[in-house]
Amino acid sequence: MGAMDVETGKDAALLNPELLQIAEVSSSAMKENPHIVQNLYSQWLSLPDTTKLVKTVADKAKTGVPTNDIFNSSSPKAGSPSSMFAAVPPLSPRSSSGSPRLSRRGSGLGPSKLGSPLKVLGEPIKEVIPQFYFINGRPAPHEMKEHCLIAINEIFTGHEDGLQLQDFKTVTKEICKLPSFFSTVLFKKIDVESRGSVTRSAFVDYWINKNMITMDIATQIYTILKQPHQNYLVQEDFKPILKELLLTHPGLEFLQNTPEFQERYSETVIYRIFYYMNRAGNGRLTLRELKRGNLIDAMQQADDEEDINKVLRYFSYEHFYVIYCRFWELDTDHDFLISKENLIKYGNHSLTYRIVDRIFSQVPRKFLSKVEGKMSYEDFVYFILAEEDKPSEPSLEYWFKCLDLDGNGILTPNELQFFYEEQLHRMECMTQEPVLFEDILCQLIDMIHPEDESHLILKDFKRCKLSGHVFNILFNLNKFMAFESRDPFLIRQSRRERNQH
């Protein structure tokens, strides 16, 4: 033996066999740390028992004994391959103080770098993750589904071939809890092949299996009305339910013989819906806008109330009648268009020329009329709703844009004075006692209580309950005078309240 062999033998003699009992590691760990495997293999070869084992294997191999039988015939020993690699080298020693040999050699490997002993893992345990995404939404709870199926069975019993349209209203009203005038559009939504009937299985598939039953009513109505592959509603989508409402509502029976008025009524209701609900003003009513508005409540009220005029939101026939008659009176040539000269006559010449100019400049809203300088019936409906319901949010935005001459979102005293000058001149012509703009400006500030008294912003108007009167003071003389004469102490009272604050 050379000096190196002597040193190796000396080291091997110092080895504690217990330290060589190492945990199993994966083949990948061995590949990543080949020097460790090589060192351990060298150590194993240097052990006295290894020399004996190798000699025994060689002798028996010469006699023809299979190698596997050789290893199986002898019990495992500390120095044998079966004991050495039955659990392959640990990258972290069992002792918390670390392996004496590894420490002596300065390998630098220890718990801080390689962590806990690596072991060959079996097949990973497959964790069953419950389904959390459903194409049509989460299925209905079992109890809700069973309750609905009982009601469905009662209605469809005796109708094996399905329900026809005239019998489907019960399903719409009692099972779906929708307004009855949705019956036709819902029927056609299910009867996609136009067979003229809806079977029990077809209805169950649409209402339960597609989870319509679990949706809130706004989402149900939105889903039923909208066209496939669209994520908004347009005016055309509302026409089927208005048509059925006109055919079935007792308060609208008198229109049966006047198709023209039926069409005008339907259009007006739809225009009113989009004026208040479609806050984006783009003609595309989203689900979010539908949920935020009060249309669903109005629909249910219209379905339950026999007197349609009591449904003040959207569906009142009297409201339609006033709107249409005002338009007809102004449209003197009956071409279904209104000019600037026609609109000046609105409300017994109550509006100033300057505000009418702003309306026809299409600053508050672009006209849908294809004739230049003319307002269509739909444009007029938007105007009259803004004029007669000034406190509403769409109206405040409409008139604020009219007054904001430079479009910077701020109303300065100069802009307010520009519009009031015509009011002042008209008061003088009518021999009314004029009110100077300086006094009017103080009055407006007292009414609105703006955050900054040097100017007004839209937010100030939306916080003020008297905003509608502010607009009347600036450009509607008749309503301004009526307001002043009806409540002469209002301004004084508002000033007192402000001083108290």
Side-chain angles (χ1 to χ4, degrees), residues 427 430 432 476-486:
M427 283 188 283
M430 296 173 62
Q432 294 284 339
N476 190 314
L477 183 59
N478 294 346
K479 289 185 178 181
F480 173 34
M481 300 305 295
F483 170 68
E484 289 288 286
S485 61
R486 183 179 63 246

Side-chain angles (χ1 to χ4, degrees), residues 17 66-67 81 86 139 141 175 184 239 243 271 303 329 332 387 419 445 476 496:
T67 306
I175 296 180
T184 300
K239 289 186 177 181
K243 182 179 180 180
Y271 297 156
D303 195 39
E329 289 170 0
T332 52
E387 169 60 23
F419 288 97
I445 297 298
N476 190 314
R496 273 201 306 269

Side-chain angles (χ1 to χ4, degrees), residues 219-235:
T219 307
Q220 290 172 345
I221 287 176
Y222 172 81
T223 305
I224 293 169
L225 292 183
K226 77 179 184 71
Q227 299 302 311
H229 312 301
Q230 283 189 348
N231 56 355
Y232 54 83
L233 296 171
V234 296
Q235 292 186 9

Side-chain angles (χ1 to χ4, degrees), residues 368-427:
L368 297 178
S369 167
K370 297 180 180 180
V371 180
E372 186 176 355
K374 293 293 183 74
M375 176 185 281
S376 69
Y377 177 63
E378 181 175 354
D379 300 323
F380 178 79
V381 171
Y382 274 67
F383 155 76
I384 195 173
L385 291 175
E387 169 60 23
E388 301 300 333
D389 187 20
K390 286 192 177 76
S392 70
E393 189 167 305
S395 304
L396 295 177
E397 295 175 2
Y398 185 97
W399 295 118
F400 186 91
K401 290 177 182 177
C402 283
L403 299 180
D404 187 12
L405 294 174
D406 55 7
N408 66 349
I410 296 174
L411 298 184
T412 63
N414 288 338
E415 288 172 315
L416 301 177
Q417 185 174 11
F418 172 79
F419 288 97
Y420 184 72
E421 282 177 349
E422 190 175 346
Q423 289 280 69
L424 182 61
H425 176 69
R426 295 173 77 189
M427 283 188 283

